[in-house]
Amino acid sequence: MTVRTRIAPSPTGDPHVGTAYVALFNLCFARQHGGQFILRIEDTDQTRSTPESEQDILRALRWLGLDWDEGPDVGGPHGPYRQSERKDSYRQYAMDLIEKGHAFYCFRTPEELDVIREERKAQGLNPGIKGDLELPAEEVQRRLEAGEPYVIRMKVPDEGTCVINDMLRGTIEIDWSQVDCQILLKSDGMPTYHLANVVDDHEMAITHVLRGEEWINSAPKHKLLYEYFGWDMPELCHLPLLRNPDKSKLSKRKNPTSINFYERMGFLPEAVINYLGRMGWSMPDEREKFSINEMIENFDIQRVSLGGPIFDVEKLRWLNGLWLREDISDDEFVERLRGWWFNEDALRALIPHVKGRADVFSDVAPMAAFMVSGMLELTPEQFAHNKLEEGQVKRVLQFALWRLEAQRHWSKENIFADIKELAKAMDLKMGEFMFPIFVAIAGTPNSWSVMDSMALLGPDMTRARLRHALNALGGFSKKETKKVEKEFAAL
């Protein structure tokens, strides 16, 4: 048997370090067994998926040195490798399940489903959608002929226990009463993750699925689908989730999670991939610094620890420093620095902003330093404003951060539209609203257009600087955060 693993990112945002972490372990497992590693794009969420995000993910993973044998950009014998291009196939599989009695048409409205959830809660049951959902065959046919909207749901046992065998965790038991009747095909004809995941893994001959532990509760649905289809299920391995230093799940609200952030900060890809390799795994000799090839050569999935690995940016900086000093020659240092700092495309984009403000070349570095810096040194005094209280300043930064975290098409025009709408909703003049934004992004209110700066810095660095500015001001307590979240929702 040829070992085949895969990574299947969703192109709905910035390329996440968690995606790279899971991709690395899948790559190492496949290479260590002389197998293949496949990249698949799971773009069933058509409202949030974008081509720009897909290309960003591919570029970021390649920057880290992660290469795949088959994928949307390189092709392969099991394509297409985008789920949106496999839509007709999923529908046929869903219809096959209906014919075999393993799935059914569900015409329930959102209001009816809410009632079901509340009734189940009142009975002390799992509030997932389950129970009396099916209609008589004649009624189903009538509604289909009338063109009523529907979804297709899988049938799930009410009693008994599902037993899952995990490569790291051994036997996992989950009561079927905790598993809801999952939607397989949405009303728009697109599959949910669960159906598409199982079908694609089967058709692409995936033998081992290494994924995050957040998918453990979905494993019974997947196992049931494999049984319904009569297919062999791949071996499952649920990797521990990356954690913030406070042990909470790694999130962009507490840690920079975009791979792009680390590239823009000037980290070496070798160091980042080395650090991700240390997340829950160790070399036989316990050394901390190793290359991806050394990891592949020594890889053993049983050396993965189930304790939540802590992603600490300061530890990553230390490791990056080792790589810079021990593995990068002076000549290579110059070349890499030139490629990062004096990147022609990035430098050319700055020219319209610095050329009209400079009298001599030595003026350029001070005025453009914030564009090639990491996190700026900020103090509360820099945010003092004669018309804004500190609470308002923090709200401006927090609301701008939340709004820009939802922005999927990063451009000066879209950033401006978000900011303008927020300023109006908060009943602040644009000049007042923009003051803390200028300081957070440029370190001073006296710079060129901050909209241009944010567009050039990109979403990852912009959001990181807004978070950094909030931290410089002390941020919000947990109690305050709940209140602020309600205020933001009401805008």
Side-chain angles (χ1 to χ4, degrees):
M1 178 185 68
T2 300
V3 170
R4 287 172 60 84
T5 66
R6 50 78 170 169
I7 184 70
S10 176
T12 56
D14 298 338
H16 200 283
V17 292
T19 300
Y21 159 68
V22 175
L24 172 63
F25 280 69
N26 274 277
L27 172 68
C28 288
F29 186 83
R31 295 285 184 265
Q32 190 240 347
H33 287 88
Q36 288 109 39
F37 171 56
I38 292 85
L39 186 142
R40 184 172 74 223
I41 296 296
E42 298 199 337
D43 56 350
T44 55
D45 187 345
Q46 293 288 281
T47 59
R48 297 176 61 231
S49 297
T50 67
E52 296 87 355
S53 179
E54 176 186 320
Q55 291 305 308
D56 208 14
I57 289 170
L58 301 184
R59 189 204 60 78
L61 293 178
R62 281 236 162 80
W63 175 73
L64 287 171
L66 299 171
D67 291 310
W68 41 95
D69 301 291
E70 301 171 27
D73 56 338
V74 298
H78 299 85
Y81 294 91
R82 293 185 187 89
Q83 288 183 337
S84 59
E85 298 172 4
R86 304 167 67 89
K87 180 177 177 180
D88 293 341
S89 171
Y90 303 127
R91 178 170 185 81
Q92 186 56 55
Y93 280 114
M95 298 304 294
D96 289 346
L97 290 178
I98 287 181
E99 291 178 10
K100 294 175 181 176
H102 299 315
F104 62 94
Y105 294 102
C106 180
F107 295 90
R108 296 285 189 174
T109 65
E111 293 75 20
E112 290 175 318
L113 294 175
D114 286 339
V115 171
I116 291 173
R117 289 189 186 95
E118 292 305 317
E119 289 177 347
R120 290 180 64 81
K121 282 183 183 179
Q123 297 171 30
L125 301 172
N126 171 34
I129 300 303
K130 208 169 187 177
D132 186 21
L133 299 172
E134 294 185 67
L135 296 172
E138 299 79 12
E139 180 66 10
V140 169
Q141 187 60 37
R142 185 190 68 78
R143 295 195 180 205
L144 289 174
E145 291 175 355
E148 292 188 23
Y150 64 85
V151 299
I152 294 179
R153 292 182 182 273
M154 68 184 296
K155 293 184 179 180
V156 176
D158 290 317
E159 300 177 345
T161 302
C162 177
V163 178
I164 302 295
N165 295 315
D166 186 278
M167 295 168 65
L168 285 176
R169 302 161 193 268
T171 300
I172 300 173
E173 297 185 355
I174 299 176
D175 290 342
W176 282 117
S177 61
Q178 300 299 311
V179 183
D180 63 321
C181 293
Q182 177 66 50
I183 293 176
L184 300 178
L185 206 70
K186 296 180 282 188
S187 58
D188 63 359
M190 289 297 289
T192 58
Y193 166 84
H194 304 278
L195 176 63
N197 167 70
V198 167
V199 169
D200 287 350
D201 282 350
H202 172 72
E203 292 193 342
M204 295 182 183
I206 300 303
T207 62
H208 296 76
V209 173
L210 283 67
R211 60 189 182 186
E213 63 186 346
E214 70 268 30
W215 294 108
I216 289 177
N217 288 334
S218 295
K221 301 175 186 178
H222 301 164
K223 182 177 181 180
L224 198 58
L225 285 173
Y226 277 103
E227 291 177 358
Y228 285 165
F229 287 125
W231 300 335
D232 291 333
M233 185 175 181
E235 294 287 326
L236 296 182
C237 177
H238 291 94
L239 300 168
L241 289 176
L242 299 183
R243 302 279 174 182
N244 293 309
D246 65 2
K247 304 297 180 68
S248 61
K249 179 182 175 182
L250 185 67
S251 67
K252 61 186 178 184
R253 291 197 171 186
K254 294 185 178 181
N255 239 331
T257 59
S258 170
I259 300 170
N260 293 339
F261 170 83
Y262 296 95
E263 182 179 4
R264 282 181 172 273
M265 282 286 289
F267 283 88
L268 296 172
E270 298 96 326
V272 177
I273 207 70
N274 179 180
Y275 190 66
L276 291 174
R278 293 180 61 257
M279 295 288 97
W281 184 84
S282 60
M283 292 284 281
D285 60 4
E286 301 292 337
R287 70 181 185 271
E288 296 198 79
K289 189 163 125 320
F290 49 84
S291 68
I292 187 171
N293 288 332
E294 290 173 321
M295 182 175 176
I296 291 171
E297 183 180 346
N298 292 276
F299 192 73
D300 179 356
I301 193 66
Q302 296 305 320
R303 292 189 64 82
V304 173
S305 169
L306 293 180
I310 301 300
F311 192 94
D312 187 336
V313 178
E314 289 306 310
K315 181 74 172 180
L316 172 56
R317 287 181 64 95
W318 168 81
L319 185 61
N320 197 82
L322 289 186
W323 275 91
L324 277 176
R325 290 185 288 274
E326 297 176 3
D327 293 81
I328 304 297
S329 68
D330 290 353
D331 288 343
E332 188 176 358
F333 189 98
V334 170
E335 286 303 311
R336 293 216 191 187
L337 180 61
R338 179 185 292 124
W340 175 78
W341 197 353
F342 299 105
N343 178 283
E344 184 174 343
D345 291 337
L347 190 59
R348 190 174 295 280
L350 289 179
I351 299 305
H353 307 293
V354 300
K355 188 177 179 182
R357 291 174 170 82
D359 294 318
V360 292
F361 288 138
S362 57
D363 290 340
V364 173
M367 73 173 71
F370 75 95
M371 294 296 296
V372 291
S373 297
M375 294 300 100
L376 308 177
E377 292 188 13
L378 301 173
T379 65
E381 289 74 24
Q382 290 173 269
F383 291 91
H385 190 277
N386 59 3
K387 291 188 178 180
L388 294 178
E389 298 177 357
E390 183 179 325
Q392 287 179 297
V393 169
K394 290 199 290 186
R395 280 169 171 75
V396 165
L397 294 170
Q398 183 66 82
F399 292 170
L401 173 58
W402 284 340
R403 179 61 64 90
L404 293 177
E405 281 177 342
Q407 180 55 254
R408 290 285 168 259
H409 300 278
W410 196 260
S411 68
K412 176 183 176 181
E413 293 73 23
N414 288 342
I415 297 168
F416 179 76
D418 281 341
I419 295 297
K420 185 178 180 181
E421 184 178 338
L422 269 179
K424 182 178 180 181
M426 294 179 69
D427 196 25
L428 291 173
K429 295 178 180 178
M430 277 294 284
E432 297 168 351
F433 189 94
M434 293 306 301
F435 177 83
I437 304 293
F438 263 99
V439 176
I441 299 301
T444 173
N446 303 313
S447 179
W448 61 72
S449 165
V450 76
M451 305 296 180
D452 286 312
S453 297
M454 289 192 284
L456 293 174
L457 284 170
D460 46 298
M461 185 62 78
T462 295
R463 295 163 188 160
R465 287 198 180 169
L466 290 172
R467 280 192 292 269
H468 179 66
L470 272 168
N471 291 335
L473 289 170
F476 292 104
S477 66
K478 286 187 178 180
K479 184 177 180 180
E480 290 173 328
T481 298
K482 291 182 179 179
K483 179 182 177 182
V484 172
E485 285 176 341
K486 291 181 179 178
E487 292 176 14
F488 179 68
L491 291 177

